[in-house]
Amino acid sequence: MSVSSGSSERVSIPRVALGTFRSTGDDAATAVRCALRQTDSLRAIDTASIYRNELEVGREIRDAIRDGIVSRADLFITSKISPFEMGAAKAPAAVEGILRRLDIGYLDLLLIHWPGWCYEHSRLTTHDSRVLRSPGARTHASLRARPPFPTRSRKAPAFE
């Protein structure tokens, strides 16, 4: 699948990705390690801050790059901002936290996780090429989180 990145460049999005939902600790690390080292075609990995496995996912990606198994440009990494991190006041720090925990340089795709279930009716705008970019191109993202129904009030989990 190929989509426009907002510039004249087209970005290819893999049709199949390794999802890491409900994989934590060694399970997340093993899944990513096997995907990158035992297959030649699985180069897309999906994680999210609310999964709490970004440290392990990032470590395995960095190890595979260090060992010459893959290059960063060959990978398509997706993460998501959780409902507890949404809103103009929280989202920039959430994105920085994702980038810090993964420690892989940049994300290929950043999604708003469960966008109908957020705390604030606000706009997230970022012009940071470290957040979303295809190799060699600068991409700007403008995302809106507008729930179609009243938001729920729940206590936010603590993120590292």
Side-chain angles (χ1 to χ4, degrees):
M1 178 186 314
S2 181
V3 297
S4 174
S5 65
S7 67
S8 61
E9 181 182 348
R10 306 241 347 136
V11 176
S12 292
I13 299 175
R15 293 182 185 269
V16 178
L18 173 71
T20 61
F21 177 61
R22 294 198 179 182
S23 297
T24 58
D26 290 339
D27 290 340
T30 300
V32 173
R33 184 180 322 111
C34 289
L36 296 179
R37 294 174 183 268
Q38 296 180 7
T39 68
D40 293 331
S41 59
L42 190 53
R43 295 295 181 251
I45 299 173
D46 173 80
T47 188
S49 59
I50 203 161
Y51 300 169
R52 298 189 180 174
N53 61 14
E54 291 171 318
L55 293 172
E56 295 84 4
V57 169
R59 183 185 69 235
E60 292 302 326
I61 292 170
R62 290 189 309 277
D63 288 353
I65 292 169
R66 181 198 65 219
D67 294 345
I69 305 298
V70 295
S71 70
R72 176 62 185 92
D74 293 334
L75 300 173
F76 192 91
I77 309 300
T78 301
S79 192
K80 304 170 207 74
I81 296 173
S82 87
F84 302 106
E85 301 169 311
M86 290 181 194
K90 296 176 185 175
V95 172
E96 288 299 322
I98 291 167
L99 291 170
R100 180 178 37 79
R101 288 186 297 273
L102 286 171
D103 192 21
I104 56 172
Y106 62 94
L107 292 171
D108 297 287
L109 179 63
L110 176 66
L111 298 174
I112 300 206
H113 211 168
W114 310 326
W117 190 69
C118 68
Y119 287 97
E120 298 175 31
H121 302 265
S122 62
R123 180 177 177 188
L124 161 67
T125 302
T126 179
H127 296 284
D128 188 345
S129 64
R130 292 175 308 134
V131 175
L132 294 173
R133 73 173 178 87
S134 56
R138 188 173 176 138
T139 302
H140 299 288
S142 179
L143 309 171
R144 285 189 187 268
R146 300 237 184 245
F149 49 84
T151 59
R152 297 182 215 167
S153 177
R154 292 198 181 171
K155 184 177 177 186
F159 289 96
E160 296 174 14

